[in-house]
Amino acid sequence: MVGRVGRRRAVAHMNLAAAKTGLRFGQAVAHATALVPGLVLHDLDVEGDNAALQRLALWAQRLYSPTVAADPPDGLVIDATGCAHLFGGEEKMLIDLRRRLAKAGYAATVAIADSWGGAHALARYSRRSVFVVPPGGLGVQLKDLPVAALRLQPETVQALAKPGFDTIGELEATAKGPLAHRFGMEPIRRLDQAHAREREPIEPVFAPETPRAAKIFAEPIGAPETMARYLTELTVELCATLEALTLGAKTIDAWFYRVDNRVESARIGLSAPARDARRLAKLLCEKLEKVDPGFGVDKMVLAASNAEPLAYSQDDVLGGKRTADLSGLIDTLRVRLGAEAVYRLASTESDLPERSVRKAPAGETPAAFSWPVDWPRPTRFFPRPEPIETVALLPDQPPASFTWRGVRRRVRRADGPERVFGEWWKADAELARSRDYFQVEDDGGERYWIYRDGDGEDAATGSQRWFMAGVFG
């Protein structure tokens, strides 16, 4: 890819094959074509690349964090504070992000660090596809990286190379006074940003059509009641905008710009589109306890980053068609307990009990469970069937007795077997898999649901071991 450096045409990007020939970024096109005959050249589309990067940032904002921005020419910066735990930790979040980008056709290297500059440098120069820097360990990881990792201009990097500054560690060990006198303040500023000594605010990306409201304060605010009052006013303004557009918010993001160049954020997710200002303001104000205003907030922005059409209609109350709206309760629980803690159960296409139920969004209309009518199911299922020891005649007889949790139980009555097969579409091994379920009752009148893994004859159908699957109430 060919771009312009000043008045000359130079190499802006290249693929791996071109890099292996010895070409380098910023090299003059005339020199590159002389070194590599038959080199394929394309003009760099800067505007198109920036537009694609903005779309990618909006995609990441919906999935990972409210604070996402483009990091031109080829990156994104994401503030993962308070978001990584939703994915099981920082490393799992990065793996999920990289996997999703790969599905979209992007090869990515990702890093999490204490600073934007540190993550930028490690993602591009560490030679590791996934890099998580523990708190306080940024200096050790940056010291061996080249000076170019500090986001300096190419001419500054070349000027630093002349006296022998090749790595960030060498630059960090140099007295700052002489360094600033010779090369200006830019290398020092980038060093401080990379080592998290100077904060670098992330200006979140906005789609042009995103409904939002903002307020700039002449004097910084920080008192909880003051922030709640202005947050409520912004919510009323945002809901008025949503009503004018006939939209309802599914996700609302709030940003609080502090006077120390730090941006705090909060996000609420809704189970159904809504624009009730009173309800939304209450949910947003509950998030304020996790927002640190520092020395004060001088700007507040509220945006409906995910909005859907919402048109109110009159309920047919007289006809008895009005249904209870649980979205308010669901949203309150999601804000207080976390989105991952609020769900409902729904059935899936499987005859195996542990596979037949899934977690579904709390606002989803559940489908009816498709249990066979002739075979009742226990009131209590075990998420993982527990092994038991049995005395039974093979292949089709129920056990005469079984030992479960150290207690031996004698079977008085039994019904079965009910043969259940695996899902052939999941794996080849499922084609032969089967289970034989029995309903049994012991001497004390307790009823259990047990099964044998296999048909009792063929080892290919299962392990032939017995398990406790559930208990009847």
Side-chain angles (χ1 to χ4, degrees):
M1 304 297 295
V2 178
R4 286 196 171 274
V5 179
R7 295 184 178 181
R8 64 188 181 93
R9 300 178 75 227
V11 175
H13 293 282
M14 70 181 78
N15 61 11
L16 183 60
K20 288 181 177 179
T21 63
L23 300 182
R24 66 180 187 277
F25 294 112
Q27 190 173 23
V29 171
H31 189 199
T33 53
L35 288 176
V36 184
L39 190 64
V40 180
L41 303 176
H42 297 281
D43 288 331
L44 186 66
D45 182 8
V46 178
E47 293 183 0
D49 286 347
N50 288 337
L53 203 56
Q54 290 292 323
R55 291 193 297 269
L56 204 60
L58 291 170
W59 166 84
Q61 187 183 65
R62 288 193 296 270
L63 290 175
Y64 295 101
S65 169
T67 307
V68 180
D71 188 13
D74 57 356
L76 298 178
V77 56
I78 301 174
D79 186 353
T81 305
C83 302
H85 72 280
L86 299 175
F87 301 88
E90 293 178 341
E91 185 173 1
K92 290 184 178 179
M93 176 181 171
L94 293 183
I95 292 172
D96 182 79
L97 173 60
R98 194 165 180 265
R99 177 181 58 81
R100 289 177 184 269
L101 288 171
K103 285 185 177 180
Y106 295 99
T109 56
V110 288
I112 283 185
D114 292 337
S115 68
W116 176 355
H120 176 103
L122 293 168
R124 288 162 176 79
Y125 293 90
S126 68
R127 297 183 180 180
R128 288 170 58 175
S129 58
V130 177
F131 203 135
V132 177
V133 181
L138 193 53
V140 175
Q141 302 298 336
L142 290 177
K143 66 178 183 178
D144 294 328
L145 298 184
V147 172
L150 290 175
R151 297 176 291 168
L152 297 170
Q153 296 297 324
E155 53 271 20
T156 304
V157 175
Q158 294 175 6
L160 288 167
K162 291 179 180 178
F165 291 115
D166 296 323
T167 66
I168 294 177
E170 293 171 348
L171 206 60
E172 176 73 4
T174 303
K176 301 303 182 287
L179 195 65
H181 178 74
R182 184 170 181 180
F183 302 103
M185 290 300 298
E186 185 66 9
I188 298 175
R189 184 174 71 91
R190 290 302 192 186
L191 271 174
D192 290 341
Q193 289 174 346
H195 288 86
R197 293 190 292 264
E198 178 181 331
R199 294 197 178 276
E200 193 173 2
I202 301 173
E203 189 70 31
V205 65
F206 289 109
E209 67 276 7
T210 300
R212 59 184 181 268
K215 188 172 184 63
I216 300 176
F217 305 103
E219 294 291 336
I221 64 172
E225 60 274 9
T226 305
M227 294 181 65
R229 176 162 59 87
Y230 284 113
L231 187 58
T232 301
E233 291 180 4
L234 284 178
T235 306
V236 172
E237 183 180 341
L238 178 65
C239 288
T241 303
L242 290 169
E243 187 170 3
L245 298 172
T246 323
L247 296 174
K250 283 293 295 292
T251 303
I252 297 181
D253 293 320
W255 292 275
F256 307 88
Y257 293 77
R258 298 180 4 173
V259 294
D260 59 355
N261 283 335
R262 181 172 175 177
V263 181
E264 295 281 322
S265 65
R267 165 175 284 183
I268 61 170
L270 306 172
S271 57
R275 57 171 182 262
D276 183 348
R278 182 177 178 182
R279 170 184 155 196
L280 298 180
K282 182 180 178 181
L283 295 175
L284 285 166
C285 287
E286 288 193 16
K287 289 286 188 177
L288 284 178
E289 63 182 20
K290 297 182 179 180
V291 174
D292 180 10
F295 294 106
V297 172
D298 56 12
K299 182 181 178 182
M300 195 180 294
V301 178
L302 206 60
S305 53
N306 185 10
E308 296 180 2
L310 174 63
Y312 291 127
S313 60
Q314 184 174 353
D315 287 334
D316 186 3
V317 180
L318 297 178
K321 296 181 180 179
R322 185 172 183 175
T323 57
D325 182 11
L326 299 178
S327 59
L329 173 62
I330 292 172
D331 295 338
T332 301
L333 293 174
R334 284 164 58 98
V335 169
R336 293 180 181 178
L337 304 178
E340 68 281 358
V342 184
Y343 58 88
R344 73 192 318 158
L345 298 180
S347 60
T348 58
E349 294 295 331
S350 177
D351 290 329
L352 299 179
E354 61 269 26
R355 296 182 185 173
S356 62
V357 179
R358 65 178 175 88
K359 290 182 179 180
E364 179 180 306
T365 302
F369 286 95
S370 55
W371 297 124
V373 177
D374 298 334
W375 293 94
R377 292 294 185 255
T379 54
R380 180 189 175 193
F381 283 104
F382 297 117
R384 292 183 179 87
E386 300 182 9
I388 59 176
E389 297 178 2
T390 63
V391 176
L393 295 175
L394 299 179
D396 297 327
Q397 297 300 315
S401 65
F402 64 91
T403 301
W404 176 49
R405 294 182 177 176
V407 179
R408 184 174 182 271
R409 294 169 172 84
R410 182 177 179 182
V411 176
R412 292 180 54 193
R413 296 181 179 87
D415 192 8
E418 174 195 355
R419 181 155 293 178
V420 173
F421 294 93
E423 289 87 39
W424 55 267
W425 58 88
K426 286 185 176 291
D428 292 340
E430 298 284 341
L431 291 172
R433 182 176 181 178
S434 66
R435 292 180 181 178
D436 285 346
Y437 283 85
F438 293 86
Q439 301 172 45
V440 299
E441 181 179 327
D442 66 6
D443 289 332
E446 298 291 339
R447 297 172 63 223
Y448 307 94
W449 204 39
I450 64 176
Y451 74 89
R452 180 182 58 235
D453 184 28
D455 61 5
E457 296 178 312
D458 188 358
T461 62
S463 64
Q464 313 304 324
R465 297 175 59 196
W466 289 83
F467 294 88
M468 176 68 67
V471 178
F472 291 90

